[in-house]
Amino acid sequence: MKIIIIIAVLLGLNIQVNAQKYFTRTGEISFFSSTSVEDIKADNKTITAIFDSQTGAIQFSVTMKSFHFEKALMEEHFNENYVESDQFPNATFSGKIENITSIDFQTNGTYQSSVIGKLTIHGVTKEIQAQATFAVNGQKIEGVSEIMVNPEDYKIEIPSIVREKIAQELKVSMKMNFTEKK
């Protein structure tokens, strides 16, 4: 009986030792709006994100003023009039990779998973779910996902004068290149 307990304790310690956290400060998030009047795209390459390979816990934060547009006036309107970046400087996500045990972080390959959690934009938090792809390549892990976001769900008011230029739902694309946090 003591041997079984010792083995169980050792296995438990082994699981703790193998738990790894992966981190990035150079993730990318972009959003795209397409209407018959105009296409709008903004990119942000200063995302901070972390996830735990044992629990599946995942979090990221993005500075709203780090979104860059083709036209400076669009960027100004985005920050001052729509997302009010001075008042709401960051968008955040806190959630979980649902089937984390099906991703083998020790074996190169591509793995699909569902990610669920809470997205906060403009001071409003909503539950979201998305499909994600994780590509393991040595000690590096690339996570890619897309979601659709309706600005009105986050109390972002679009003035009627420009309403026809902005899609009701924006395609938000995320790409995170994680490395092991040491």
Side-chain angles (χ1 to χ4, degrees), residues 39-40 57 61 69 85:
D39 289 343
I40 300 170
S61 179
F69 295 74
S85 296

Side-chain angles (χ1 to χ4, degrees), residues 18-94:
N18 289 332
Q20 294 176 336
K21 292 188 178 173
Y22 292 87
F23 178 78
T24 186
R25 284 185 196 247
T26 57
E28 298 175 23
I29 292 183
S30 64
F31 68 81
F32 182 72
S33 163
S34 182
T35 66
S36 60
V37 178
E38 184 172 34
D39 289 343
I40 300 170
K41 186 174 191 300
D43 297 304
N44 188 325
K45 296 183 180 184
T46 57
I47 313 311
T48 301
I50 189 167
F51 81 89
D52 185 311
S53 67
Q54 182 180 11
T55 67
I58 186 166
Q59 296 182 338
F60 72 74
S61 179
V62 55
T63 304
M64 299 307 283
K65 284 188 176 181
S66 294
F67 278 101
H68 298 291
F69 295 74
E70 181 180 321
K71 300 175 184 173
L73 188 58
M74 285 182 180
E75 195 165 317
E76 182 181 323
H77 287 173
F78 172 79
N79 285 301
E80 292 178 8
N81 303 331
Y82 303 138
V83 297
E84 302 171 287
S85 296
D86 287 336
Q87 185 177 354
F88 306 103
N90 298 307
T92 61
F93 175 80
S94 180

